[in-house]
Amino acid sequence: MIRHIVAWNFREEFSEEENKKHAEEIKRELENLKNLIDGIVSINVLTNPMFSSDADILLDSVFTDEKAYKAYQTHPEHVRVGNDVVRPRTCNRRCLDFYISD
């Protein structure tokens, strides 16, 4: 299996209230991808970081294998969520992908 973790910050031009709404939308849209894309074992979006955190929002997802992960990367729904929901609201993307055992 493959674990895919991504962390972002919200863009500075948004208010705290706007970021709360953005976080809810990003969480809803990303977590729904499990219903739309085969090979996703789990997908969780964390939106309530502690004061000591360097990131505002985190995606933690697991895929059955590398083939499923590659299919996810180019799947039209994932591309739509990335282009229309996540990227316009975030910056400073950091990613870590790694193999995990069952």
Side-chain angles (χ1 to χ4, degrees):
M1 290 195 288
I2 294 178
R3 176 158 259 144
H4 171 62
I5 299 173
V6 182
W8 300 270
N9 292 107
F10 288 113
R11 294 182 182 271
E12 291 183 15
E13 62 261 27
F14 298 117
S15 69
E16 188 173 327
E17 187 62 34
E18 288 172 311
N19 285 339
K20 286 181 183 181
K21 290 178 183 178
H22 295 315
E24 291 170 6
E25 182 181 15
I26 289 169
K27 179 177 178 66
R28 182 179 59 251
E29 290 279 351
L30 285 172
E31 289 182 351
N32 187 52
L33 293 176
K34 186 173 190 303
N35 300 318
L36 305 173
I37 303 173
D38 292 335
I40 299 174
V41 175
S42 65
I43 189 164
N44 298 295
V45 177
L46 308 173
T47 60
N48 194 19
M50 291 178 56
F51 69 93
S52 56
S53 300
D54 291 329
D56 297 320
I57 192 163
L58 182 117
L59 166 69
D60 182 5
S61 53
V62 176
F63 297 85
T64 55
D65 54 27
E66 191 170 339
K67 181 179 177 184
Y69 176 60
K70 286 180 179 179
Y72 161 84
Q73 291 294 322
T74 59
H75 191 282
E77 279 301 305
H78 174 252
V79 172
R80 179 191 65 78
V81 172
N83 288 339
D84 298 346
V85 180
V86 178
R87 283 188 194 96
R89 296 164 175 85
T90 61
C91 61
N92 303 327
R93 180 185 184 272
R94 291 168 303 280
C95 176
L96 179 66
D97 298 327
F98 56 96
Y99 293 98
I100 56 175
S101 57
D102 297 355

